[in-house]
Amino acid sequence: MGARIRVLNVVAAVAIVVILYYVGRPLYWELEARLQEYREGFSDATAASTQTTAEGGNVQPVGNARGLEAASLQGLPKEASIALMALDVVDPDAATPAKPSAIANAAAGSAGAAEEEVGATADGSSQESSGTSGGGLDLPSEATAGAAATDATATGSPTTDSPGAGASGTGASGDQQFATGVRPILHEGRPLLPDLKREIWEKPPPGSAVPAREEFALRREMVQHRQRDNVVVVTFANYAFLDFVLNWVRHLTDLGVYNILVGAMDTKFLEALYWEGVPVFDLESGMTTDDPGWGTPVFHAMGREKVTLINVFLSLGVQLLICDTDTVWLRNPLPYMARYPQADVLTSSDHLTRSVEDESLEHWDRAQGAYNIGILHFRPTDPAKQFARAWAEQLAGDSKIWDQNGFNDLMRQKLGPDVNPEGNDNVFWAFDGTLKLGILPVALFCSGHTYFVQHLYRKIGLEPYAMHATFQFAGTDGKRHRFREAMAFIDPPEYYDPPGGVLSFVNNIPEELLTGGDHSLQTHFNLVNYQLTNLRSALAIATILNRTLVLPATWVRFDRIWFPHPGILDGTDTPQPFLSPLDHLVEVQRMLPGKLKEDEFGPAVPIREYSFLDNPRTPQAIYILQHNPQHA
């Protein structure tokens, strides 16, 4: 009898251990992920402060080289630490984040210290709209604005005024009423100047003056002038992201998309876009021109401006494709959005595996990763307006809710079933059971992981529509470098012809390091260590020759992510080894000129991405010199 009891005790103990393992492990991963996202936020805030932190003496060097990242080798056994002695590295955790500034009109009561990464935004198009014809825009006039507001109230649109006055001094339209948390940025009573009706990229004549700021106030006439087929494509930013916005606009116009408007969060950015010939309106945010850094209160306050824009544009009866500035469009997205006129909202996703093999929307019950609000398409339907209002009121009621989390929480109150089970269009019911939602395919509307790591679009042999620089580890500088690696960032001509010339080298990685043995922590380390050692030597040679270093392609065996994982995320199509983004190996934001003090870290070595010599924007003479050294 006693033996039987002991056996039962052992079985019970084993069962408890197994249960704790399978229940506790996901909880641990979730906790660790949130903690790491919090750390990433502070890391990005540090990077955004450029020289402020480094010049304050808070970055503690180990050795003498610039910016090689120890964090990319986290988790190595202590025995492997001796190998790091050969890699002059900078401790990325030693820096103190800079204190962020506030957005004058939006930060109070809106800035939260949310701890997860924000996603990109999206633009979209279709021929169907609420109360408008498919061929043109029928916006309510000032004379009918009151009736429009009444109709909006009846269909669930906002009914209460939000506090505050526009920064431009122009009074908001008294007929427009919005949800709590939606700032009154829509203005009427002032005709749009001919100077603001120029074709996109048509610059003002030399010697002309910038119109008064109130002329850039958002109004119906401005939207009516820019819309095409009742669709407007919108992004917004401050001056720190000017090059991202110009890149975003250029890619769209190269694809034949011209129905674009950009919201300016500060006067310097507004004027810069005006001189570039980009259609711009004043978002009246009162923001500084600095990069606030990911995860800071100002960063999250910036995100809440998106909710204001969605509510305002939907009130005008237009379809809205709203995108984050860290997206690049590779195909015209508007015909794709037009395929799904029945969908009230289309959203991108952080899901890392595909549930479809073609251009269909993802299956909602198989693509359950977080919806990413970096790419969103809204139609001006009653359910879409009701959702936008609920989203604004939710964020206004709790300053700690991250806008993307709020979006997910509301949408997931009710999921499914399919709107048309027999139609196989993968549009499904969401929110309160009245909103029709679709998830954009993750292999074509790509996150930073599905594009830069998995290259999912190649697996199904299709051309992607967009890339979004998420799932990366070097702040704004890292996003820019990833786009450059993909030859998708349009820099000024001087970037492609650096003074002093360039120096390139080939790693010639032994096959044994790439594929030999099992894919383990040790073989991953050996591969990375080999490349970093070569990189150190190349940086030294480039310093001596005073040349810009063209980095080689970098290869890894293990993925990089901010929570514990087995090397490659389960279920993904990540190959081993794989061509990795540079920020998987080094702290890109610390390697750039001006980021660290020269008297402590030595002279900066300008760098270029591994694809630099293959970029058609690089002068042919540089390519010839690099491939025919005898002519140098």
Side-chain angles (χ1 to χ4, degrees), residues 404-589:
Q404 182 163 294
N405 279 354
F407 180 93
N408 277 268
D409 290 344
L410 288 173
M411 279 297 185
R412 294 172 187 270
Q413 288 178 353
K414 177 178 173 56
L415 289 182
D418 290 311
V419 173
N420 183 13
E422 304 301 324
N424 297 320
D425 57 15
N426 296 339
V427 176
F428 60 100
W429 298 106
F431 180 40
D432 59 358
T434 67
L435 183 142
K436 297 183 285 293
L437 180 65
I439 304 172
L440 297 169
V442 299
L444 300 180
F445 295 83
C446 303
S447 70
H449 199 279
T450 60
Y451 187 91
F452 296 101
V453 175
Q454 296 186 63
H455 307 291
L456 274 187
Y457 59 94
R458 295 178 183 170
K459 304 293 194 306
I460 58 177
L462 294 174
E463 182 183 355
Y465 281 90
M467 62 177 80
H468 185 193
T470 55
F471 290 90
Q472 64 86 43
F473 304 92
T476 302
D477 294 317
K479 294 173 183 284
R480 186 182 292 107
H481 192 85
R482 282 202 181 187
F483 286 156
R484 285 171 171 167
E485 288 180 331
M487 294 186 287
F489 201 84
I490 304 172
D491 284 288
E494 55 269 23
Y495 177 84
Y496 304 99
D497 191 10
V502 300
L503 170 70
S504 66
F505 75 100
V506 179
N507 257 325
N508 289 323
I509 303 172
E511 185 65 27
E512 176 67 19
L513 289 178
L514 289 168
T515 60
D518 296 332
H519 293 296
S520 66
L521 195 60
Q522 188 61 56
T523 57
H524 169 71
F525 171 77
N526 293 341
L527 173 59
V528 170
N529 187 53
Y530 177 87
Q531 295 172 91
L532 291 183
T533 302
N534 289 345
L535 177 58
R536 179 191 60 183
S537 300
L539 287 167
I541 295 171
T543 300
I544 294 171
L545 297 178
N546 193 29
R547 292 201 174 196
T548 295
L549 179 62
V550 179
L551 301 172
T554 53
W555 291 83
V556 298
R557 289 183 178 228
F558 277 9
D559 201 350
R560 183 181 180 187
I561 205 72
W562 53 86
F563 52 82
H565 63 92
I568 296 298
L569 299 181
D570 291 339
T572 65
D573 286 322
T574 307
Q576 289 179 283
F578 67 88
L579 175 66
S580 74
L582 183 63
D583 57 85
H584 274 217
L585 270 72
V586 303
E587 293 257 291
V588 176
Q589 74 274 27

Side-chain angles (χ1 to χ4, degrees), residues 2 9 69 73 255 294 332 465 507 509 589 629:
N9 287 340
E69 180 204 18
L73 304 178
L255 294 167
W294 187 92
N332 183 346
Y465 281 90
N507 257 325
I509 303 172
Q589 74 274 27

